[in-house]
Amino acid sequence: MKTRNSIRIWGSFVVVMLSLLHLTAISRAQEQKALASDALHPAPQTRPLTACSPDGEFYALATPDGRIRCGKTQEGAAICTRYLCHPRAMVFSPDSRLLAVAGGSDGSPARLKVWQVADGRLLCQVETGVGRDPVLGFSSDSILLASSGDGIHINFWQLPKGTLQGSLTTSGAPLTRLAFSKEGKALIALFGDGSVQRFPLP
């Protein structure tokens, strides 16, 4: 009788352990699936983006709901409010005339928009790949705009029409900043792993 009870107990224990192992495997599979989904469809920006023009005259504030408010720092009043789904990166041009914003996620097309600061007029918009942390950078003459795409490519947009001038391939490390050289003949890319790459302009 004791032997039968022991067999039943061990049998129940084995069943419980197999069930736990099965649940653990399912949990891991679901976690891996969620991570893969996050990589393909990054979560929207959860905090407001802020930027100030190089001359200190203008500010911009982009909220997670897509509202982009631009105004004068002296008065604090908004000049205009524009929209872009899930804004993720924002930068003023060196001459403080233009504002570029990149955004898009959750299945919506990834877009890059450029506005004139003075009157809020949309200068151009293009559809482009936007990763989890896109990076933008203007050339010193504000004619070229560089944008990181899927984490591997950097695109160059000719303004004011937003024409794709060319693209280049990076090392694949996460980008942290894009800057044009003083003479305007090269792009400097800084990466999260501490590396730096210098690319001739296309």
Side-chain angles (χ1 to χ4, degrees):
M1 183 66 69
K2 289 184 179 180
T3 301
R4 289 181 180 178
N5 288 337
S6 297
I7 291 174
R8 288 196 189 101
I9 292 172
W10 276 107
S12 300
F13 177 76
V14 169
V15 169
V16 170
M17 290 302 295
L18 288 175
S19 298
L20 288 174
L21 289 173
H22 181 65
L23 290 173
T24 301
I26 291 175
S27 177
R28 286 178 180 173
Q30 289 175 339
E31 182 179 354
Q32 290 175 350
K33 185 177 179 181
L35 289 173
S37 178
D38 288 344
L40 292 173
H41 305 289
Q45 182 76 24
T46 56
R47 292 183 299 174
L49 290 173
T50 58
C52 186
S53 62
D55 62 7
E57 292 295 321
F58 303 98
Y59 72 91
L61 172 68
T63 52
D65 62 3
R67 287 182 296 175
I68 301 163
R69 187 176 66 190
C70 187
K72 290 188 176 182
T73 56
Q74 190 170 0
E75 295 88 359
I79 297 173
C80 63
T81 300
R82 294 294 178 260
Y83 297 89
L84 177 63
C85 291
H86 307 301
R88 293 183 162 278
M90 180 168 58
V91 66
F92 281 93
S93 61
D95 58 12
S96 302
R97 293 188 307 105
L98 307 175
L99 176 67
V101 184
S105 65
D106 292 344
S108 62
R111 285 192 174 92
L112 175 63
K113 290 186 177 183
V114 181
W115 290 274
Q116 290 186 164
V117 174
D119 56 8
R121 184 172 72 88
L122 181 64
L123 199 66
C124 65
Q125 67 172 329
V126 294
E127 288 194 7
T128 178
V130 175
R132 181 177 292 275
D133 297 303
V135 182
L136 302 172
F138 274 99
S139 61
S140 58
D141 58 8
S142 304
I143 293 176
L144 274 183
L145 175 62
S147 69
S148 63
D150 52 9
I152 300 176
H153 299 94
I154 297 173
N155 296 321
F156 295 90
W157 308 97
Q158 181 85 34
L159 301 176
K161 294 184 178 180
T163 305
L164 181 63
Q165 174 135 339
S167 61
L168 54 85
T169 304
T170 71
S171 63
L175 268 168
T176 58
R177 186 166 184 188
L178 294 173
F180 285 81
S181 61
K182 186 176 181 180
E183 70 278 7
K185 294 183 179 179
L187 178 76
I188 296 88
L190 279 65
F191 298 89
D193 60 2
S195 61
V196 180
Q197 282 187 281
R198 186 183 180 95
F199 303 95
L201 296 186

